[in-house]
Amino acid sequence: MCLITEEFQHQQTRYQGKWKDVFDSTFAFGSYRLGIVIVGVVSFLIVCFALYENYEAFSRPDYAILFALNCFLMPQLKFLVGLRELSAVETSELNERKNKNVADGLAWGFYFGYLKLVLPELLNRIGLSDQFRFKITEKKLFILLPKTCYTYDDIEDADSRVKFAGHLPELKKSRAGIKERSYKHAVHRVEMPRPDGKIDEYHFVLEYACSLMSLYDMSVHAEAPFTAQERDHQVMLFIRKLTEILDGCPDCKGKYKLVPISGNETNKIADVLVGMHNAANLDVGADD
């Protein structure tokens, strides 16, 4: 009753005055709607028939009390044993209270606000770069995903072997009232020392998933309490959701690499990147 009273107050703003939508969001009928209606009608007819045939028997006070108790206690018992599905309103409130929608929201925001715009143009940006078009062998955007959610302003601070090398030609798009907004990918050079003293160089289009910094900020902000366990769980959900979103987009699929890292250890990023690079080359060689 509290839920439906609350939603009735927002009938116009949330549901455009539609009573059906109010009931749908408050009561979790789901796919059992027709069955519930049939059972309800049949039960009502049976009760009416029983009252008609045995009015004096069912008019006793103890029957009336038992009927009232059943109407009140059965829904509570069903809820306690976990047989009642949460309504849309209850699910939304629970997710909001427990910060369960954070990862999904950040993943969708990262996609619509950035990746959906830049990934389809990535190969073209690389091709336009006289400086890097032949140096970048893995023509994908490598996205660092630290488990701690902390992102360094300079990746070199996390691994001294990863050096900033320059930018790809900028992409300009007018968006949200900003004319010719600039999007520029950073190219990083990974320097891997060899036993003979020489250095192998690898070039990657590389950046952090900046959305994860929001999770980090939430974990240290008093008004948005996030435990370390909750943050770690949200990172996993973020990676899973982002992968699902990007793989479902034909313009983005195959143009990115998600790079999960611990974030606690420095001087590990280069090893992970070169390992992924070598594994990709082995796969290509096997296909040939």
Side-chain angles (χ1 to χ4, degrees):
M1 289 302 296
C2 294
L3 286 175
I4 198 168
T5 302
E6 170 69 18
E7 294 309 303
F8 277 160
Q9 296 177 7
H10 303 286
Q11 179 190 357
Q12 297 297 329
T13 57
R14 293 180 182 174
Y15 306 102
Q16 292 77 48
K18 298 179 181 178
W19 290 93
K20 178 180 178 296
D21 292 345
V22 175
F23 282 102
D24 285 345
S25 66
T26 308
F27 298 102
F29 294 133
S31 58
Y32 305 104
R33 185 192 309 273
L34 180 60
I36 292 174
V37 172
I38 293 174
V39 171
V41 171
V42 172
S43 300
F44 177 76
L45 293 176
I46 292 174
V47 170
C48 290
F49 178 77
L51 289 175
Y52 178 77
E53 292 292 329
N54 302 282
Y55 174 76
E56 293 183 357
F58 284 99
S59 62
R60 291 166 48 186
D62 50 347
Y63 278 107
I65 294 173
L66 181 62
F67 179 77
L69 288 175
N70 280 332
C71 291
F72 177 75
L73 293 177
M74 287 304 295
Q76 309 303 320
L77 179 61
K78 185 179 178 182
F79 177 79
L80 289 175
V81 299
L83 295 178
R84 189 178 76 84
E85 179 184 354
L86 293 178
S87 67
V89 173
E90 291 171 309
T91 302
S92 177
E93 183 180 356
L94 179 63
N95 287 338
E96 182 178 354
R97 187 182 306 162
K98 297 294 184 180
N99 290 321
K100 293 182 179 296
N101 280 336
V102 174
D104 273 20
L106 289 177
W108 281 111
F110 192 35
Y111 168 70
F112 281 116
Y114 180 61
L115 296 178
K116 188 175 185 292
L117 305 176
V118 301
L119 283 181
E121 298 289 336
L122 180 61
L123 295 180
N124 186 37
R125 296 297 106 187
I126 295 175
L128 291 174
S129 174
D130 294 332
Q131 182 180 1
F132 297 116
R133 72 167 67 129
F134 299 114
K135 293 181 179 179
I136 300 174
T137 55
E138 280 284 305
K139 302 185 187 306
K140 298 179 180 181
L141 175 61
F142 285 75
I143 305 172
L144 296 174
L145 300 162
K147 185 179 179 181
T148 61
C149 296
Y150 185 79
T151 61
Y152 289 88
D153 293 335
D154 295 313
I155 299 178
E156 187 175 353
D157 293 338
D159 192 329
S160 58
R161 296 169 296 175
V162 183
K163 312 285 187 181
F164 173 73
H167 287 108
L168 294 179
E170 66 178 338
L171 172 67
K172 292 184 178 181
K173 285 183 176 290
S174 296
R175 186 170 175 83
I178 302 175
K179 295 298 183 181
E180 295 189 340
R181 185 171 186 173
S182 176
Y183 298 88
K184 290 192 296 185
H185 290 298
V187 179
H188 287 78
R189 181 180 65 255
V190 175
E191 300 177 349
M192 297 294 288
R194 291 165 48 178
D196 59 5
K198 296 182 180 180
I199 294 178
D200 290 330
E201 293 186 352
Y202 306 83
H203 288 78
F204 298 92
V205 184
L206 179 67
E207 60 191 55
Y208 282 106
C210 58
S211 299
L212 290 184
M213 196 63 186
S214 298
L215 280 178
Y216 177 82
D217 291 338
M218 290 180 67
S219 68
V220 298
H221 196 280
E223 297 300 323
F226 237 34
T227 65
Q229 292 80 6
E230 289 173 335
R231 184 192 63 201
D232 292 346
H233 182 60
Q234 290 297 316
V235 172
M236 291 189 294
L237 293 179
F238 176 84
I239 296 174
R240 185 186 309 164
K241 190 63 180 182
L242 187 60
T243 302
E244 175 187 329
I245 294 170
L246 292 176
D247 282 348
C249 176
D251 293 332
C252 297
K253 188 175 182 179
K255 297 178 181 178
Y256 73 95
K257 280 282 190 181
L258 300 184
V259 187
I261 56 176
S262 69
N264 291 316
E265 300 175 333
T266 56
N267 295 325
K268 291 293 184 181
I269 296 176
D271 296 325
V272 175
L273 291 173
V274 173
M276 296 178 73
H277 175 273
N278 293 338
N281 287 338
L282 287 175
D283 291 340
V284 172
D287 293 339
D288 293 341

